[in-house]
């Protein structure tokens, strides 16, 4: 009998230890109650929720209690927090999370909270009157409190850079094809209050050419090009398949690589004044051109031309279009031997189909400095320079960046900290 009691006692002890320590329920995620905007959803994760009888989440302010959640906990508890609706004032509050276990024990976690309903106030200091599709633009704003800022242009997101603690600017790239332009500044303060400001920029619709290219006429040269690019023999039989692979897959990879370089642009200003267009060159192809490839009248593939093709003499010297830093030199698929310059604050330029480079990654270059020589490496026909400009990794029409007056009117006012309108 005594043995039995001892055994029962031991059992109870073990059970107690098991309940108390091993499978003790607990709550994670309470830190997110420290910042309380007008409206928010908080996800609390409960460990061993079946060991707890009750979860209670309340806000305390001026001796009043506001219940956010009360009930049996699950592994994940989503709590809708609407302090304004509940009647809390802006200022300090306390969030208390209480977990009842073993029917009587109450574990409490308390978090000091800041209640703030005021969204950041954004003031537009500069924006362009109009932009073209495929073109660039700049926006300058001031913000009433420290906030996360971004510029949304249609479905694209562009970062803002600080000119001082209150004034920020952003360069943006307008898609080539769009029905309606929308430019919005989104600001989110430290607590999570957001404000969205529409920027009234007009769209000046620009038409870009479409060319139909018959691959049959270029087959002999293409067989050699495609074999080189793919590193495997391309014959009459797999010609179209190989062309699609290069024009679609390889192009996509190469463009993604360039975009990534563009997104990593440094937050500093390298460039000054207008960008240089290649000396004594003839434009043989423009930015935004749509190329539709056919074979014997049948559609094969298509692509967009994200730069200008400029031809001069054979192996002509290629100059840096502006001051910048070399962020890439190397062979890049359809672009052949390529140099990419970072001009800072999201602006980069691309020089493709070169024979050789005169610079290396990490070099800082000056406007007009020779960085390489033209050729027809990659998917190019005839010796020329492919010149491209990107804003935050999106290709834009270089024609604007070659135009000193456009830069002066559309970009420079955004780069100056002075708060003029
Ligand atoms: Zn080109």
């Amino acid at each position: 009998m005594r043995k039995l009691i001892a055994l029962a006692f031991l059992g109870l002890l073990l059970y107690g230890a098991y309940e108390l320590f091993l499978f003790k329920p607990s709550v994670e995620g309470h830190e997110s109650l420290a910042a309380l905007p007008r409206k928010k959803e908080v996800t609390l994760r409960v460990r061993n929720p079946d060991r707890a009888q009750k979860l209670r989440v309340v806000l305390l302010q001026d001796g009043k209690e506001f219940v956010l959640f009360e009930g049996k906990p699950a592994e994940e508890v989503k709590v809708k927090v609407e302090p304004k609706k509940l009647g809390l004032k802006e200022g300090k509050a306390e969030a208390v999370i209480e977990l009842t276990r073993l029917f009587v024990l109450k574990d409490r976690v308390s978090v000091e909270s800041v209640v703030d309903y005021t969204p950041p106030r954004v003031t537009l200091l500069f924006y362009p009157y109009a932009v073209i599709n495929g073109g660039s633009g700049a926006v300058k704003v001031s913000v009433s409190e420290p906030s996360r800022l971004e510029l949304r242009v249609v479905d694209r997101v562009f970062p803002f850079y600080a000119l001082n603690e209150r004034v920020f600017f952003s360069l943006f790239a307008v898609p080539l094809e769009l029905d309606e332009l929308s430019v919005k500044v989104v600001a989110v303060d430290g607590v999570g209050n957001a404000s969205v400001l529409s920027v009234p920029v007009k769209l000046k619709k620009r038409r870009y050419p479409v060319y139909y290219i018959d691959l049959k006429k270029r087959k002999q040269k293409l067989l050699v090009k495609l074999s080189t690019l793919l590193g495997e023999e391309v014959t009459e039989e797999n010609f179209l398949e190989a062309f699609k692979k290069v024009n679609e897959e390889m192009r996509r990879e190469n463009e993604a690589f360039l975009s990534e370089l563009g997104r990593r642009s440094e937050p500093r200003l390298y460039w000054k004044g207008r960008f240089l267009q290649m000396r004594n060159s003839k434009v043989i192809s423009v930015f935004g051109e749509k190329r539709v490839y056919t074979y014997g009248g049948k559609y094969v593939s298509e692509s967009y031309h994200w730069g200008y093709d400029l031809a001069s003499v054979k192996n002509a010297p290629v100059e840096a279009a502006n001051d910048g830093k070399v962020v890439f030199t190397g062979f890049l698929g359809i672009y052949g031997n390529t140099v990419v310059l970072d001009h800072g604050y999201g602006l980069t330029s691309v020089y493709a189909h070169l024979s050789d480079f005169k610079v290396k990654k990490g070099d800082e270059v000056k406007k007009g400095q020779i960085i390489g020589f033209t050729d027809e490496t990659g998917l190019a026909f005839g010796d020329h320079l492919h010149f491209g400009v990107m804003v935050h990794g999106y290709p834009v029409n270089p024609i604007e960046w070659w135009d000193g007056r456009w830069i002066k009117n559309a970009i420079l006012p955004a780069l100056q900290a002075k708060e003029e309108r």
Side-chain angles (χ1 to χ4, degrees):
M1 185 63 189
R2 201 183 282 167
K3 232 178 184 172
L4 212 63
I5 291 171
L7 213 62
F9 186 70
L10 191 69
L12 201 65
L13 213 67
L14 276 172
Y15 174 75
Y18 166 90
E19 280 287 348
L20 276 167
F21 304 108
L22 238 58
F23 291 95
K24 186 181 166 187
S26 63
V27 182
E28 286 162 37
H30 51 273
E31 331 69 61
S32 51
L33 286 165
L36 300 175
R38 189 177 291 256
K39 205 172 177 181
K40 174 178 198 173
E41 194 179 75
V42 169
T43 304
L44 299 173
R45 286 170 307 279
V46 184
R47 281 181 56 191
N48 304 312
D50 43 339
R51 299 271 155 187
Q53 288 74 50
K54 195 163 95 179
L55 173 70
R56 199 159 184 271
V57 184
V58 299
L59 294 176
L60 303 172
Q61 191 181 53
D62 300 336
K64 272 185 258 167
E65 190 186 77
F66 307 86
V67 180
L68 298 178
F69 180 89
E70 188 161 19
K72 182 102 181 85
E75 227 163 81
E76 216 180 69
V77 179
K78 288 200 191 301
V79 182
K80 250 205 198 107
V81 190
E82 292 174 285
K84 174 129 201 196
K85 218 173 176 181
L86 289 172
L88 276 92
K89 296 195 296 274
E90 285 192 298
K92 282 195 180 349
E94 188 187 357
V96 177
I97 298 155
E98 195 181 80
L99 204 57
T100 309
R101 62 189 172 96
L102 291 172
F103 301 96
V104 286
L105 293 180
K106 283 180 177 154
D107 293 334
R108 281 167 63 102
V109 188
S110 150
V111 182
E112 251 191 62
S113 311
V114 174
V115 183
D116 175 5
Y117 305 137
T118 314
R121 207 175 52 257
V122 180
T123 309
L124 263 177
L125 301 176
F126 175 81
Y127 61 91
Y129 167 75
V131 292
I132 58 168
N133 46 319
S136 309
V139 166
K140 181 167 74 172
V141 297
S142 68
V143 194
S144 59
E145 58 176 314
S147 304
R148 263 189 300 118
L149 279 173
E150 59 185 38
L151 188 73
R152 296 201 187 145
V153 178
V154 195
D155 56 349
R156 299 175 171 182
V157 178
F158 297 90
F160 270 90
Y161 300 100
L163 287 166
N164 59 42
E165 319 81 81
R166 279 173 33 85
V167 182
F168 302 83
F169 78 94
S170 178
L171 291 183
F172 65 91
V174 184
L176 190 77
E177 287 186 341
L178 75 168
D179 299 320
E180 216 180 320
L181 178 65
S182 79
V183 181
K184 289 185 172 119
V185 181
V186 180
V188 182
D189 70 13
V191 172
N193 296 296
S195 60
V196 181
L197 184 69
S198 274
V199 187
V201 185
K202 285 189 170 54
L203 178 67
K204 248 193 305 181
K205 198 89 175 157
R206 190 183 171 95
R207 290 167 78 98
Y208 291 96
V210 181
Y211 282 112
Y212 291 84
I213 297 163
D214 187 356
L215 294 175
K216 216 170 189 170
K217 288 184 190 150
R218 292 186 168 181
K219 187 145 89 181
Q220 287 322 307
K221 188 146 194 188
L222 264 170
L223 284 173
V224 182
K225 285 263 168 201
L226 297 176
S227 300
T228 313
L229 285 171
L230 292 169
E232 60 190 42
E233 205 195 346
V234 177
T235 59
E236 301 259 346
E237 282 74 57
N238 64 356
F239 171 60
L240 291 183
E241 190 193 323
F243 180 79
K244 270 177 88 78
K245 200 167 172 185
V246 167
N247 191 54
E248 292 168 23
E249 278 172 51
M250 190 178 280
R251 181 182 293 277
R252 196 156 47 234
E253 277 169 33
N254 299 156
E255 285 172 356
F257 179 85
L258 291 175
S259 292
E260 182 55 34
L261 284 177
R263 279 195 296 274
R264 289 208 302 253
S265 171
E266 280 181 61
R268 60 172 274 194
L269 189 71
Y270 283 102
W271 64 278
K272 203 176 161 205
R274 71 175 204 92
F275 282 63
L276 298 181
Q277 184 171 358
M278 190 189 186
R279 261 171 223 272
N280 308 316
S281 65
K282 205 175 92 193
V283 172
I284 51 173
S285 178
V286 300
F287 171 90
E289 184 182 291
K290 186 178 181 179
R291 295 166 174 179
V292 180
Y293 299 97
T294 60
Y295 191 89
K298 277 210 185 94
Y299 172 91
V300 177
S301 184
E302 63 187 51
S303 59
Y304 282 96
H305 189 231
W306 296 128
Y308 261 74
D309 287 346
L310 306 164
S312 175
V313 294
K314 219 170 183 317
N315 296 129
V318 173
E319 300 173 333
N322 217 319
D323 294 1
K325 187 176 174 180
V326 180
V327 287
F328 177 77
T329 65
F331 187 83
L332 184 65
I334 63 161
Y335 289 93
N337 287 324
T338 304
V339 174
V340 180
L341 299 184
D342 180 14
H343 303 288
Y345 287 141
L347 197 59
T348 48
S349 59
V350 179
Y351 310 78
H353 309 311
L354 306 179
S355 62
D356 203 3
F357 319 117
K358 291 280 276 179
V359 289
K360 57 179 194 311
K361 192 176 165 181
D363 285 357
E364 286 195 19
V365 295
K366 285 281 159 204
K367 192 195 285 198
Q369 184 180 331
I370 293 168
I371 57 173
F373 301 93
T374 62
D375 201 337
E376 50 178 302
T377 56
L379 193 62
F381 301 93
D383 187 300
H384 73 272
L385 167 70
H386 170 96
F387 175 71
V389 178
M390 294 188 296
V391 169
H392 200 58
Y394 292 104
V396 291
N397 200 332
I399 211 161
E400 295 179 321
W401 295 95
W402 284 331
D403 179 353
R405 216 175 55 180
W406 174 83
I407 289 179
K408 194 166 168 263
N409 294 331
I411 302 293
L412 291 188
L415 301 184
Q416 289 147 6
K418 222 174 85 212
E419 298 185 22
E420 92 272 46
R421 257 174 203 266

